[in-house]
Amino acid sequence: MKSTKTRSLFLMLIVSGLFLNGCNTDENDPINYNDLKNLPQDAGGTHKGNVLGSTDSPYGYYVYTPSTYAMDGPVYPLMVFLHGSGEKGNSSTDANKLLLVLRNGPPMMINKNNWKPYTPMIVVSPQCHDGGWNAQKIHEFIGYCIKTYKVNPSRIYITGLSMGGYGTFDYVGAYGNESYAAACVPICGGGSTSRAANFLDIPTWAFHGDADGTVSVNNSINMVKAINELIPIQKAKLTIYPGVGHNSWSMTYDGTGIGKERSDYDPYNTLIYDWMLQYQREESEILALVK
């Protein structure tokens, strides 16, 4: 398949004034992309768990759909969240295991009613029941989501923490332009620098704490350096928090890390969700990947 470069939509500056965690938004908010600006406001949607084996999905998962979501309605951006190792579980043998997915990140924020993005999106949070995240299964899962939900194929984003940060790097590293991702945000993870070329067209923003004793910050440093040495279409970003240990994800996902980063790396000055929405893929080429 012909290589496809992610299209950067720098029609306006996305700023950190697009809020989560209960902050109000108004008509002056700057996201105004034609395919997003007319999406109906999300007043608080539905978060549904689907245990492994109850659907055709290769994973059990939670899915959040905005309040105005309807199968005869508009398509929405899709964000895929990959959890860490502590949230693994097989919900086909014990349905309660799926609740582990709600421990951290966006699914926790949704569960606690702290999820209020300016631009509504579908959020899917699969649960790994294997030893670790598998790139092929992630690809199959996203394909399942495209077929099952009202997804905007050009706006699919992937993020994850710890084991999920590794999974994010691994998915894009394995598939490159054959992935569904328009942008990715791996947190306190790492990847294979030998696959850096597969990130050249997929904007990447990594986060890490420099006091992480579980996953060395060098994993993110080395990966971002390897990508940028190959001169990607959009320079890969790396934000590092001083004195922060393994949990660098909470302050990244809820935005409280803004302004708390090290000055010698990229600033955290735009919420990651708004940063993702600057990028999109060609819809026709993404649909061609769905089997």
Side-chain angles (χ1 to χ4, degrees):
M1 177 179 172
K2 181 177 68 175
S3 175
T4 304
K5 290 189 175 181
T6 303
R7 304 301 191 254
S8 175
L9 303 180
F10 290 114
L11 300 178
M12 60 190 65
L13 178 64
I14 300 296
V15 296
S16 59
L18 308 181
F19 304 111
L20 293 175
N21 293 326
C23 295
N24 293 325
T25 58
D26 59 35
E27 62 184 5
N28 295 318
D29 282 311
I31 285 187
N32 194 36
Y33 304 144
N34 288 335
D35 61 334
L36 300 179
K37 66 180 181 179
N38 293 323
L39 287 176
Q41 185 175 2
D42 184 3
T46 302
H47 204 201
K48 179 184 178 183
N50 296 276
V51 300
L52 181 64
S54 66
T55 70
D56 293 332
S57 167
Y59 293 117
Y61 66 100
Y62 269 91
V63 56
Y64 174 82
T65 50
S67 56
T68 53
Y69 176 88
M71 289 308 293
D72 60 351
V75 293
Y76 291 85
L78 173 71
M79 186 177 73
V80 181
F81 166 73
L82 304 181
H83 63 69
S85 61
E87 289 73 66
K88 290 190 295 184
N90 190 329
S91 59
S92 69
T93 56
D94 182 355
N96 289 327
K97 291 291 186 182
L98 191 61
L99 296 172
L100 294 173
V101 174
L102 304 177
R103 281 183 173 178
N104 292 299
M108 181 189 73
M109 295 169 65
I110 293 167
N111 195 49
K112 292 186 174 181
N113 296 317
N114 290 329
W115 180 255
K116 296 178 177 66
Y118 174 76
T119 298
M121 62 178 67
I122 300 168
V123 181
V124 290
S125 306
Q127 183 177 41
C128 179
H129 56 277
D130 304 312
W133 291 109
N134 177 277
Q136 181 177 342
K137 273 193 175 182
I138 293 170
H139 195 68
E140 292 172 359
F141 175 72
I142 299 175
Y144 161 83
C145 291
I146 294 171
K147 294 177 182 178
T148 306
Y149 300 101
K150 293 287 289 186
V151 171
N152 182 339
S154 69
R155 293 190 175 279
I156 298 173
Y157 310 100
I158 184 166
T159 181
L161 63 89
S162 192
M163 185 183 81
Y166 277 96
T168 301
F169 271 129
D170 187 51
Y171 173 62
V172 177
Y175 282 87
N177 283 329
E178 299 295 319
S179 78
Y180 295 113
C184 66
V185 179
I187 303 174
C188 60
S192 172
T193 57
S194 66
R195 290 176 163 180
N198 278 344
F199 291 80
L200 295 184
D201 297 337
I202 313 297
T204 302
W205 191 358
F207 288 78
H208 223 116
D210 66 7
D212 192 333
T214 303
V215 178
S216 172
V217 66
N218 290 328
N219 285 278
S220 289
I221 292 173
N222 293 339
M223 195 65 196
V224 170
K225 179 182 178 182
I227 295 169
N228 286 334
E229 285 178 345
L230 298 177
I231 312 178
I233 188 173
Q234 180 66 32
K235 184 176 180 288
K237 299 175 65 175
L238 174 60
T239 296
I240 296 179
Y241 301 113
V244 172
H246 192 46
N247 185 358
S248 55
W249 59 81
S250 293
M251 59 202 302
T252 301
Y253 286 124
D254 69 14
T256 58
I258 290 177
K260 298 177 181 178
E261 70 281 352
R262 279 174 46 170
S263 61
D264 51 340
Y265 286 90
D266 292 295
Y268 187 11
N269 54 10
T270 302
L271 288 172
I272 60 170
Y273 315 101
D274 306 324
W275 175 82
M276 291 174 180
L277 292 169
Q278 295 178 87
Y279 306 102
Q280 66 183 103
R281 301 280 297 274
E282 291 291 339
E283 179 176 341
S284 60
E285 294 173 344
I286 294 299
L287 290 176
L289 298 173
V290 183
K291 294 181 172 59

